Amino acid sequence: MRRYTKANNVINQFYTIAFTHRNLDVSHIGRLHIEMDEQQARFETLKEVLKVEEVLFLSTCNRVEYLLITKNPLSATFLQQFFHTLYPSMDEELLDFYASNAAIMQGMDAVNHVLSVASSIDSLVVGEREIITQVRQAFEQAKAMKLSGDFIRVLIRHTIETAKRVYTETKISLKPVSVV
């Protein structure tokens, strides 16, 4: 019989909602960017409305990702409410578009995705080092806004350590390769 610890339960409540060059055109990704001065209010509202315990928002020139801890499964209804809460001025057709085009990962798949992103394995330019800084900055912003908690803190700490090892112990960053 397999025993579930608190950590196992929390990891199963960890999700990533990702929009990258793999599932969306860059022009559509740009519409999901939220200006820094609006992030705290929008994500606090999201946490309250959808009972999200932790959230981290990563927005770069070619990716927007949301890392979150929630006991709620990411159903179609959840995704509709998620995007409606974060983007209240967006029309319903566009909200449906984003909800149906989101790449969603849960548990260890979500953890592995975050590791791949920070290590630039899942980047438009494989081997570029800027993403590790962007992940760290996104975490620092979430932490400063009190949007993230222990799980995301530990995840990002290990993610940064792992990404540094990937860059220093492999040759991935010697000749970055564009996926395009």
Side-chain angles (χ1 to χ4, degrees), residues 59-171:
S59 180
T60 72
C61 62
N62 58 25
R63 104 175 26 251
V64 166
E65 302 207 10
Y66 314 86
L67 284 61
L68 50 125
I69 299 287
T70 183
K71 293 178 183 169
N72 299 317
L74 267 61
S75 65
T77 302
F78 181 95
L79 289 173
Q80 282 290 333
Q81 290 177 316
F82 180 89
F83 290 108
H84 181 72
T85 302
L86 283 179
Y87 305 96
S89 62
M90 203 176 274
D91 66 58
E92 290 299 318
E93 186 177 329
L94 204 48
L95 292 171
D96 288 341
F97 173 79
Y98 286 114
S100 64
N101 283 288
I104 300 169
M105 288 137 282
Q106 178 183 9
M108 282 308 298
D109 290 336
V111 170
N112 288 333
H113 173 75
V114 173
L115 291 168
S116 294
V117 167
S119 300
S120 87
I121 294 166
D122 183 40
S123 285
L124 192 56
V125 179
V126 176
E128 60 90 13
R129 297 182 63 110
E130 186 176 354
I131 190 67
I132 191 173
T133 302
Q134 293 166 325
V135 169
R136 181 184 293 122
Q137 288 171 342
F139 169 69
E140 292 299 329
Q141 292 163 352
K143 180 181 165 188
M145 290 185 245
K146 296 182 176 32
L147 299 172
S148 63
D150 286 340
F151 183 88
I152 289 179
R153 177 184 54 79
V154 171
L155 171 67
I156 297 301
R157 188 184 82 220
H158 287 292
T159 297
I160 299 299
E161 290 171 4
T162 301
K164 285 180 180 178
R165 287 188 65 199
V166 167
Y167 291 122
T168 58
E169 296 177 17
T170 72
K171 296 180 180 184

Side-chain angles (χ1 to χ4, degrees), residues 28-46:
H28 284 102
I29 293 169
R31 292 182 183 170
L32 294 171
H33 177 75
I34 300 171
E35 292 298 328
M36 183 66 67
D37 61 343
E38 297 176 21
Q39 288 181 18
Q40 186 158 13
R42 288 200 202 181
F43 284 104
E44 283 177 353
T45 301
L46 177 83

Side-chain angles (χ1 to χ4, degrees), residues 14-55:
F14 176 59
Y15 295 89
T16 60
I17 302 172
F19 296 96
T20 72
H21 62 282
R22 297 189 191 287
N23 63 336
L24 216 56
D25 184 79
V26 174
S27 65
H28 284 102
I29 293 169
R31 292 182 183 170
L32 294 171
H33 177 75
I34 300 171
E35 292 298 328
M36 183 66 67
D37 61 343
E38 297 176 21
Q39 288 181 18
Q40 186 158 13
R42 288 200 202 181
F43 284 104
E44 283 177 353
T45 301
L46 177 83
K47 286 179 72 171
E48 183 180 320
V49 169
L50 291 175
K51 307 300 182 226
V52 170
E53 295 174 30
E54 299 183 41
V55 65

